[in-house]
Amino acid sequence: MRLLSLEVENYRNIASASLTPGRELTVICGNNGQGKTNLLEAIWLLTGGKSFRGGKDAELVRRGEPFAVLKASTLRAQQEEQEKEEPNRVRLTVGAPDSPRPGRTVSVNGGAVKRAASLAGSFPAVVFDPGHLSLVKGAPEGRRKFLDAALCQLYPGYLTLYRRYVRALQQKNALLRRSSNGIERPYAEKRALLEVLNVELAQQGEAIQQRRRAYLAALSPLACANYEELSRGAETLSLRYAAQFEPGGLVQLLRQKMPEELRAGQSLCGPHREDLDLLLDGQPAKVYASQGQQRSVVLSLKMAEAAAAASITGEHPVMLLDDVLSELDDGRKQYLLTRMREKQTFVTSCDDTAFLKTDGEVYRMNGGVLTKV
Ligand SMILES: Nc1ncnc2c1ncn2[C@@H]1O[C@H](COP(=O)(O)OP(=O)(O)O)[C@@H](O)[C@H]1O
Ligand SMILES: [Mg+2]
């Protein structure tokens, strides 16, 4: 996947900017608070997803303006091979809440205006944002999200599966909660209802775990190899799916845990309680990893996510790496700067010196004004 050009208008602090990225590496440097992350976020919106920073649509429009406009020209690997194919022209608009057309809308090649979410799958990208460091130290939910988000991007059916599971889980939790709130259904009736929901949960839950395991089997060797190279063998990363049940065992587990769940007033088992263990030399990274090691773990995972997507879909995602170089030693920086050359990659940094050697495109962002260096 390749971004050929991007024009930005009234996006956050960027009044107007024009970017012609390199085939491989593009560096955006500048001091803090100048708009570097804003520019990466604008590129990310072309995936059809919401802001990776969790920014609401209203916050994306430059203060005092009715809407932001992004005009991009993109090319899929397939199009690139068949040289005569025209690039896609994407026009994405973010309307402020009080504008005639609020929210994110898009039109491709001058076609009908649709919701931006309709872009899903047409511009794959992987983003590294310093907030992702919580993947290592944070709660299991973040790690499950990492797996589930990747699976949703790769297999449209996964989202349906996941939603079915969550719907049944919500019903189950509501039923279990009522029992502790004292509005009691007859015990036998409640058990019967729970059993019905557990059948559904077991079916969807097994499928979810199975997809996660299969994805991890593809991801693991890639992530470990990345880490090995990044740390030049200093330590070994391994990934382990922290399962509550072996394949086929969820029905049994749900049956066994029912009395406990009734007492606890909430569901206690299933893939929504599982985790992904990240280990460095066999020890939990959560407990022992230094800042630099955490960063290296997350980077290895993110690069593996992109490589896995490339091998499954044939399209290598665009890499968006925000503030990726801080806290890495020179060896790790050097490795990344060479690795990043392979695919189209955007990197932001407040340190210009790291990039003096690069043959990529270098831009400077200053107060929302983008200039080519
Ligand atoms: N909707 C908006 N309108 C105007 N400025 C904004 C808007 N949203 C964010 N900003 C400004 O963008 C700047 C932060 O840009 P950012 O890309 O995070 O900086 P950095 O270069 O450090 O990555 C802040 O000065 C912030 O006030
Ligand atoms: Mg930033």
Side-chain angles (χ1 to χ4, degrees):
M1 194 73 233
R2 207 142 67 81
L3 178 65
L4 301 177
S5 67
L6 178 69
E7 280 176 48
V8 181
E9 267 169 55
N10 295 326
Y11 188 83
R12 292 215 190 244
N13 72 335
I14 307 169
S16 168
S18 167
L19 174 74
T20 310
R23 284 187 83 88
E24 293 161 351
L25 184 60
T26 300
V27 179
I28 299 137
C29 50
N31 291 334
N32 291 326
Q34 301 305 308
K36 302 181 299 296
T37 306
N38 293 346
L39 186 64
L40 284 196
E41 185 186 42
I43 299 174
W44 171 259
L45 290 194
L46 300 172
T47 63
K50 292 186 205 143
S51 157
F52 57 78
R53 290 167 146 182
K56 298 194 188 70
D57 288 351
E59 296 160 17
L60 308 181
V61 184
R62 189 161 181 246
R63 276 189 283 281
E65 296 292 334
F67 48 83
V69 182
L70 310 175
K71 289 182 221 156
S73 167
T74 67
L75 204 59
R76 298 183 74 84
Q78 252 182 358
Q79 288 173 305
E80 202 153 358
E81 280 160 22
Q82 305 159 359
E83 277 167 19
K84 36 189 183 323
E85 289 247 9
E86 289 287 303
N88 293 315
R89 286 170 293 114
V90 181
R91 186 193 158 94
L92 194 147
T93 310
V94 192
D98 50 4
S99 76
R101 195 189 281 157
R104 286 171 298 133
T105 50
V106 70
S107 97
V108 179
N109 296 330
V113 175
K114 296 181 179 166
R115 288 181 31 219
S118 67
L119 286 172
S122 65
F123 184 82
V126 166
V127 60
F128 169 90
D129 152 80
H132 288 137
L133 292 174
S134 66
L135 257 179
V136 180
K137 293 263 171 174
E141 190 187 359
R143 288 179 291 277
R144 289 192 297 266
K145 249 196 200 144
F146 168 72
L147 296 175
D148 291 335
L151 283 161
C152 282
Q153 285 207 27
L154 292 171
Y155 309 104
Y158 189 78
L159 184 60
T160 317
L161 181 68
Y162 186 78
R163 284 193 177 142
R164 261 190 221 143
Y165 182 81
V166 169
R167 204 175 314 126
L169 185 65
Q170 284 166 346
Q171 288 172 340
K172 176 172 168 177
N173 277 329
L175 189 65
L176 287 165
R177 252 198 315 277
R178 264 200 296 273
S179 70
S180 54
N181 286 351
I183 313 160
E184 283 295 83
R185 284 168 184 272
Y187 190 71
E189 188 190 328
K190 198 158 60 196
R191 279 196 74 112
L193 273 171
L194 276 177
E195 267 160 30
V196 172
L197 286 170
N198 278 350
V199 169
E200 172 79 358
L201 286 167
Q203 196 184 343
Q204 313 304 337
E206 288 279 354
I208 288 174
Q209 197 204 59
Q210 189 224 322
R211 305 266 178 121
R212 285 184 186 164
R213 282 186 195 266
Y215 179 63
L216 266 181
L219 192 77
S220 253
L222 297 167
C224 299
N226 288 340
Y227 195 93
E228 164 100 40
E229 281 183 64
L230 186 54
S231 69
R232 284 171 300 161
E235 56 269 330
T236 303
L237 171 69
S238 49
L239 313 183
R240 192 173 58 196
Y241 190 67
Q244 285 185 332
F245 58 95
E246 290 306 305
L250 185 53
V251 176
Q252 169 75 29
L253 181 67
L254 286 165
R255 195 175 302 134
Q256 188 191 319
K257 288 271 184 184
M258 194 189 281
E260 210 180 312
E261 291 188 325
L262 279 162
R263 277 197 301 280
Q266 61 168 316
S267 141
L268 299 174
C269 56
H272 66 290
R273 289 290 189 116
E274 295 182 324
D275 198 354
L276 165 64
D277 288 340
L278 305 168
L279 308 165
L280 285 181
D281 284 342
Q283 299 299 314
K286 193 180 181 128
V287 186
Y288 296 105
S290 72
Q291 298 276 355
Q293 286 172 326
Q294 286 174 52
R295 206 167 267 267
S296 306
V297 169
V298 176
L299 264 167
S300 303
L301 286 173
K302 288 283 165 180
M303 290 192 296
E305 178 188 346
S311 76
I312 294 167
T313 67
E315 191 74 54
H316 197 288
V318 167
M319 304 291 292
L320 305 171
L321 308 179
D322 195 19
D323 263 332
V324 80
L325 297 177
S326 27
E327 286 159 15
L328 293 181
D329 57 42
D330 285 342
R332 293 183 195 215
K333 275 187 191 153
Q334 190 60 44
Y335 164 72
L336 268 181
L337 287 172
T338 45
R339 256 303 285 268
M340 284 182 228
R341 296 230 176 104
E342 292 170 20
K343 306 293 171 205
Q344 194 179 34
T345 305
F346 296 82
V347 188
T348 68
S349 176
C350 2
D351 168 19
D352 312 356
T353 57
F355 295 105
L356 292 176
K357 286 172 252 130
T358 181
D359 51 4
E361 301 293 313
V362 183
Y363 282 83
R364 174 174 297 281
M365 183 62 98
N366 194 352
V369 178
L370 187 69
T371 41
K372 189 142 188 259
V373 175

